[in-house]
C-alpha cells in the first residue's frame, strides 16, 4: 500500500474537525489535566456525563511530573490511596498511612483511567476567557473561550472560539486561571482571589477537600485552585488532597446536573 500525503492530511483534518464539532457543547468542561482534573474527569465520565478536559500543555500531569524537587517520587496518604488502587497504580508503603508513588506511573494511570472512562482531552489548548449569562441578576458561567497555546505563546492576534458546558471546573492549579479571568471580566461576580498561603501540609490537605465546590452558578473549583481562592496553605509533593478534591467535585457536579 502506498501512503499518500494528501490522504494523511485529509484524515487528520477530518478527524480533528469532527472531534471539535462534537465537543462544541458538552456536559462538563474541566480546565487542567493535573491530578484533580484527571480524577474528576474519570468519575464524571463514569457517571455518564459528556466530559471534556482542556490542558494548555502538550502533556498530562500538572505538578506530578516534577516529583519532590525533581526527585522521582510523590506521596499520597489514606484514604486517597484507594483512588490510585482503583486506577491500577502501584503504591509502596512508607509509613502507616503514607505511600510513595512513582510520578510517571501516577500520571499515566490517571490519564488512562480518564480516557477509558470516556472523557475527551484536548492538549495544547488554553482557556483565554469564559462565556457567561445573567439569570435573575446573577452571573452564570456557561462555557469557556479557547485558543491554541502556541498562538498565545507567539503573541499572535487570532480570534478564539468557545465551547459551552453545563458546568466548568477550574483545576488549573496555583494560578486558578479560570476563576481569575472570571473575577476580572464577569460583571456582578463578587469574588476575591487572595492567593494560597505558605506551606502547612496537613492543614492544606484537609482544607483543599473541604473547600472544593461551587464558586458561582456553573463554575466549580478543585485542586490547588481551591487554595488560591480561599488562601489555603500549600502542601508540596503530597497529592492525596488533589485526588480527593477531584473525586469530590465530580460528586458535587454530578448531583447538581441531575437536579
Amino acid at each position: 500500500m502506498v501512503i499518500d500525503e494528501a490522504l494523511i492530511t485529509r484524515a487528520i483534518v477530518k478527524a480533528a474537525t469532527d472531534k471539535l464539532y462534537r465537543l462544541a457543547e458538552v456536559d462538563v468542561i474541566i480546565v487542567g489535566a493535573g491530578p484533580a482534573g484527571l480524577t474528576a474527569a474519570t468519575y464524571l465520565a463514569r457517571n455518564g456525563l459528556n466530559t471534556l478536559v482542556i490542558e494548555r500543555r502538550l502533556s498530562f500531569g500538572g505538578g506530578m511530573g516534577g516529583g519532590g524537587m525533581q526527585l522521582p517520587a510523590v506521596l499520597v496518604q489514606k484514604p486517597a490511596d484507594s483512588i490510585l488502587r482503583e486506577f491500577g497504580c502501584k503504591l509502596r508503603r512508607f509509613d502507616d498511612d503514607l505511600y510513595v508513588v512513582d510520578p510517571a506511573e501516577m500520571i499515566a494511570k490517571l490519564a488512562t483511567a480518564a480516557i477509558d472512562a470516556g472523557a475527551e482531552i484536548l492538549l495544547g489548548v488554553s482557556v483565554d476567557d469564559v462565556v457567561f449569562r445573567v439569570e435573575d441578576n446573577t452571573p452564570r458561567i456557561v462555557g469557556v473561550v479557547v485558543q491554541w497555546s502556541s498562538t498565545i505563546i507567539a503573541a499572535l492576534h487570532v480570534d478564539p472560539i468557545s465551547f459551552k458546558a453545563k458546568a466548568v471546573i477550574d483545576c488549573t492549579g496555583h494560578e486558578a486561571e479560570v476563576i481569575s479571568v472570571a473575577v476580572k471580566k464577569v460583571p456582578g461576580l463578587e469574588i476575591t482571589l487572595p492567593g494560597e498561603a505558605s506551606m502547612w501540609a496537613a492543614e492544606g490537605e484537609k482544607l483543599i477537600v473541604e473547600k472544593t465546590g461551587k464558586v458561582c452558578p456553573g463554575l466549580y473549583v478543585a485542586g490547588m485552585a481551591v487554595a488560591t481562592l480561599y488562601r489555603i496553605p500549600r502542601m508540596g509533593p503530597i497529592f492525596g488532597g488533589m485526588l480527593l478534591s477531584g473525586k469530590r467535585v465530580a460528586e458535587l457536579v454530578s448531583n447538581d446536573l441531575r437536579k
Side-chain angles (χ1 to χ4, degrees):
M1 175 183 177
V2 177
I3 299 175
D4 182 77
E5 289 80 4
L7 184 62
I8 294 170
T9 298
R10 290 190 182 103
I12 294 292
V13 171
K14 186 175 189 312
T17 51
D18 285 351
K19 180 171 184 173
L20 294 175
Y21 183 92
R22 179 166 42 82
L23 296 176
E25 189 162 9
V26 296
D27 292 322
V28 185
I29 292 173
I30 298 168
V31 186
L38 291 173
T39 302
T42 299
Y43 288 111
L44 286 163
R46 286 181 179 179
N47 285 340
L49 294 171
N50 191 5
T51 303
L52 168 62
V53 181
I54 297 174
E55 168 57 49
R56 63 184 172 89
R57 297 184 179 89
L58 295 174
S59 58
F60 308 112
M64 290 183 285
M69 213 171 80
Q70 297 188 19
L71 301 174
V74 294
L75 301 178
V76 296
Q77 74 278 27
K78 286 184 176 294
D81 63 304
S82 63
I83 296 173
L84 291 184
R85 295 182 200 281
E86 180 184 344
F87 295 171
C89 195
K90 295 188 293 291
L91 305 173
R92 180 168 59 85
R93 186 187 294 274
F94 183 78
D95 204 345
D96 287 344
D97 296 325
L98 198 61
Y99 298 87
V100 178
V101 189
D102 181 88
E105 182 183 7
M106 187 171 171
I107 291 168
K109 293 296 175 63
L110 288 178
T112 299
I115 292 167
D116 287 349
E120 302 266 13
I121 302 177
L122 290 179
L123 300 175
V125 175
S126 292
V127 170
D128 187 55
D129 202 348
V130 296
V131 183
F132 80 101
R133 300 289 186 266
V134 176
E135 302 172 357
D136 298 325
N137 296 317
T138 302
R140 169 179 287 275
I141 306 304
V142 298
V144 295
V145 180
V146 301
Q147 183 58 273
W148 301 118
S149 299
S150 55
T151 301
I152 293 173
I153 292 168
L156 298 175
H157 177 73
V158 178
D159 281 330
I161 61 173
S162 59
F163 293 112
K164 293 191 70 181
K166 298 170 186 173
V168 175
I169 307 174
D170 188 339
C171 293
T172 60
H174 302 270
E175 292 83 7
E177 294 171 15
V178 181
I179 298 173
S180 179
V181 114
V183 166
K184 293 174 185 174
K185 301 182 72 172
V186 176
L189 194 59
E190 302 299 330
I191 296 172
T192 58
L193 202 61
E196 67 188 30
S198 294
M199 187 176 287
W200 181 359
E203 187 74 355
E205 286 289 280
K206 175 176 68 96
L207 290 176
I208 284 289
V209 182
E210 290 179 5
K211 294 290 189 179
T212 293
K214 185 183 291 185
V215 178
C216 71
L219 179 59
Y220 298 76
V221 63
M224 279 308 297
V226 179
T228 299
L229 178 60
Y230 294 109
R231 204 162 192 80
I232 292 170
R234 65 190 303 173
M235 310 81 111
I238 183 165
F239 288 91
M242 300 297 101
L243 301 174
L244 293 170
S245 176
K247 186 174 184 179
R248 176 168 170 74
V249 81
E251 293 168 352
L252 294 171
V253 170
S254 296
N255 289 336
D256 285 351
L257 294 189
R258 289 191 190 106
K259 294 176 182 177

